[in-house]
Amino acid sequence: MTAEPTVTRLVTHVELNEARTTARQLDVSARLEAELSDGRALVLLDDRGWAESGLGGDIRESLTPESLAETARTVVGPDEPYGDETHAQAEAAHWGALADRLSRRGVRVDAAALAVLPHDVVPDAALRAWAGFPEDRPEHGPEAD
C-alpha cells in the first residue's frame, strides 16, 4: 500500500511580463503551488500578480529578492477581510479553500497545517536577469516552528 502524499512546502513562482515591464514599472504574475512528498507540484492559484512603479527612477534600484518575496507572499493570500469579516476569518477561509482544492485532487491536508508550511518564492529567469538577482536563489519563507 502506497502512503498518501503530503504537502511539504508552498512555492510561489513569479514570472516577468516583459511586454509591460520597463525600468520604471514592474509587471509580474504569481502562481502558488503545493509541493508534495511524491515529487509532484499542484497549482493552487494561477490568477494572481501585481504591478509596481518606481518613484521617478529605475525600480530596480529599490527592488530586492526579499521585497519581491514579501510582495509575492502577500499577493497569493490570505486576502484582507471583507465587510464584517475578521482577519482570522479571512485567513481561515483562504487556507480552507486551498485545502479543499488539494482534497479534490486526492491530497488530504488540514488548513491550519498549510498556513505554517515553508513558503518559498522563485522568480523566473527573465525576472532574475531583469532585476539583477543572483541565479536560482529562491527566497525562503518562515519555517514552521
Side-chain angles (χ1 to χ4, degrees):
M1 184 170 178
T2 305
E4 290 186 16
T6 59
V7 181
T8 59
R9 71 177 181 145
L10 300 173
V11 180
T12 296
H13 297 275
V14 183
E15 298 173 355
L16 183 68
N17 180 341
E18 294 182 66
R20 296 179 58 170
T21 295
T22 67
R24 295 180 61 162
Q25 179 168 316
L26 171 64
D27 189 291
V28 296
S29 62
R31 181 181 73 253
L32 178 64
E33 296 180 349
E35 198 169 273
L36 305 181
S37 58
D38 64 6
R40 291 181 296 152
L42 300 179
V43 175
L44 298 175
L45 298 170
D46 64 357
D47 60 349
R48 304 291 174 105
W50 74 94
E52 59 183 276
S53 299
L55 299 173
D58 190 327
I59 193 169
R60 291 171 281 205
E61 293 175 5
S62 61
L63 186 67
T64 65
E66 295 80 14
S67 68
L68 181 83
E70 180 180 343
T71 302
R73 288 186 192 100
T74 299
V75 166
V76 296
D79 292 330
E80 289 294 314
Y82 179 76
D84 292 334
E85 186 179 48
T86 66
H87 280 278
Q89 290 168 329
E91 288 179 15
H94 173 77
W95 296 114
L98 296 180
D100 286 345
R101 287 180 184 181
L102 286 164
S103 177
R104 287 193 301 269
R105 297 182 73 189
V107 179
R108 285 188 265 171
V109 64
D110 179 69
L114 277 178
V116 297
L117 283 173
H119 184 171
D120 294 340
V121 174
V122 181
D124 72 356
L127 178 52
R128 286 192 313 271
W130 178 83
F133 292 168
E135 288 296 312
D136 297 327
R137 181 179 162 230
E139 283 302 314
H140 301 288
E143 298 295 323
D145 294 330

